[in-house]
Amino acid sequence: MQRYLLRRFLFSLFAIWATATLTFFFIRALPGDPVTTMVGNEGDPANIEKIKNRLGLNRPIPVQYFFYLKSIVKLDFGDSIYLRLPVIDQIKTAIPRSLSLAFVSFVIAILIGIPAGIISATRRYSIWDHGATLIAFLGLAMPGFWLGVLLILVFGVWLGLLPVFGYMPLFDKDGVHFWAWFSRLILPAIATGTGSAAILARQTRSAMLETLSQDYIRTAYAKGLQEHVVIWRHAFRNSLIPVITVMGIILALLLNGVVIIEVVFAINGLGRLLVNSILGRDYPIVQGVILLTAVLFILANFIVDILYAFVNPRIRYTD
Amino acid sequence: MSQESQAALEADLGLSRRNRRGFKIYARRYSRDKRAMFGLVVLILFVLAAGYTQIAELDAKWDIGIVSNIPYDPQIQGFELLEGPTLGHPFGTDNLGRDVLSRLISGARVSMIVGLFGLTLAGLVGIPLGVLAAYYGGWVDMIVMRYIDIQWAFPNFIIAVMLVGIFGLGLQNVIFAIFLAYIDDFARVIRGMVLAIKEEDYILASRALGVTDARLMIKHIFPNALPPVIVLSSVFFAAAILLESGLTFLGLGVSPLTPTWGSVLNDARPFFSSAWWLATFPGLVIMMVVLSTNFVGDALRDLNDVREYDSSVTGA
């Protein structure tokens, strides 16, 4: 177990290093340099040289690479080209927004997906099962950003029930503002979480069907247990393991969705920051957000690996 | 064995006839699946839409005059701004008076090109990587697997956004992004298949006959590992369409002047509250095509399982 975790941990470090290195060389391999982007094509050559010297772009590539790795370890990604603010500060304000959205989406995906899967499995081939299957298919095929647009149209514009733009923090110095936070997140979270809910529903359904056909379920019925006891205490718990194995996919899907849904709902999280800086060619931010996203994903996968090891004894004991 | 004697042998055994009958059974079984038939019809419409320009050209050349007489061009601006669906404009018009249906038809082309080219390239690189890794094992496998593991940690959409972030916008870059994003998916699937096939007796037999590694991989292992990859390609294709539409919706895709499914939706964002048709039809089109691809993929998968099962029972 410890050896397994250590190996996964070392691999995670290696993956972060590899991503950082690839980003460094990709950006430098491109035609055009960031300084020209900063000052424009008509910039004074002397000025360009001065800026290049200040940013260290005249040093040999290996030296630049060394300083680049050093600055990453210190979480220093330089300053944004347009706002002239440290990239890390902008990332710091963006992170809680993206995490809030991902968290609420996750809760929604679980609250919709798992019960839908259980109902489908216990009332197989009923109208409920067919309905849930159809909705799951649609949920997988529907682009999240389009669902977001429809939700804005229906709940924001036609019904006027919920705010459709922006973000409010959950805490500030005046206390907790749950509703202000939640009401702005609920629609984007539905748009982000629907695809994951669909996957969870399909996975729960097949896992439950598998478990319900086992002998010990028949034994449980045979000894006169009530249906809800059999389903909840015997079948559901044992169906959870295959469901946990799709958590990695769910996590990826959610973070995927967050990028695009933040733009639809004008939430200034990591995704919107990345998209805006790509469009504005603000390379220090692009580089910083890419690296940070990479670290987030690798960290998330590491956590999922640890969860597997706890759930699945085979991984725990083999090495 | 020479080709003629092979053909004679096949004729003797009635192999070619049985194959044709096999196809008929295959087609009949497929046509019984309602979802799969629905998917097939939608996909045919999609292919026709993607080839619309070529079809219209042929139509004009042969003077048939059905398609080329359709009056709309995706770029022509009319005087009917933001008009709801009518007979003349079944999906309405946008804020510049352009016909939404025409724009969606020409967007099909971009989705098709990006999906086909991106995935073909990814398959051309990913499949050999996976075959080599599984066949040779050892350090080759280790290097390929480390690479796959790293890329696997990132969702394909994030990879595509990052690559566009680094390389810039444009059709080639979107294709390139999809190409890179799907290499690991192809490599992973085929590697698993080859690992299983490698242990089969007929591989051992071929090796005993002195077949070279390259021939073994190309002639014996690769064709047998291919069916699941083809089935999965349909899933990848659906995902690539979603990915492309997502990128163009963010403005990170092909040039903003080219109409695509994502960009039609993106361009219309300021007008959603007054023009519901701009918000609904582009998304509906994306959803239908993705749904249909999934249906067809599911049907192919089921058919393939059945065929393998049948051959194992009746074969030998």
Side-chain angles (χ1 to χ4, degrees), chain A residues 185-196:
Chain A
L185 283 177
I186 181 78
L187 291 182
I190 292 174
T192 316
T194 302
S196 309

Side-chain angles (χ1 to χ4, degrees), chain A residues 94-219:
Chain A
I95 285 180
R97 300 166 186 201
S98 297
L99 285 187
S100 296
L101 179 52
F103 174 72
V104 178
S105 314
F106 184 66
V107 172
I108 285 177
I110 287 182
L111 287 183
I112 297 174
I114 291 185
I118 292 176
I119 291 171
S120 281
T122 50
R123 301 183 189 160
R124 201 177 176 186
Y125 302 133
S126 70
I127 183 125
W128 295 100
D129 185 20
H130 287 303
T133 306
L134 181 73
I135 293 174
F137 263 118
L138 291 180
L140 277 176
M142 190 185 252
F145 55 90
W146 182 50
L147 181 59
V149 164
L150 294 182
L151 289 172
I152 290 180
L153 209 56
V154 173
F155 290 96
V157 180
W158 290 346
L159 299 176
L161 284 177
L162 290 165
V164 291
F165 289 109
Y167 172 81
M168 286 284 281
L170 179 57
F171 306 98
D172 62 11
K173 55 183 188 304
D174 302 328
V176 179
H177 311 282
F178 180 75
W179 180 246
W181 174 75
F182 186 68
S183 65
R184 282 170 180 78
L185 283 177
I186 181 78
L187 291 182
I190 292 174
T192 316
T194 302
S196 309
I199 293 182
L200 269 181
R202 302 304 297 163
Q203 188 74 14
T204 310
R205 179 180 185 271
S206 58
M208 275 294 270
L209 284 177
E210 173 76 33
T211 319
L212 285 174
S213 68
Q214 300 286 319
D215 286 341
Y216 65 84
I217 297 294
R218 198 179 48 203
T219 310

Side-chain angles (χ1 to χ4, degrees), chain B residues 200-211 216 220:
Chain B
E200 299 270 347
D201 288 339
Y202 65 87
I203 298 298
L204 190 68
S206 315
R207 215 186 287 251
L209 286 173
V211 175
L216 201 58
H220 297 264

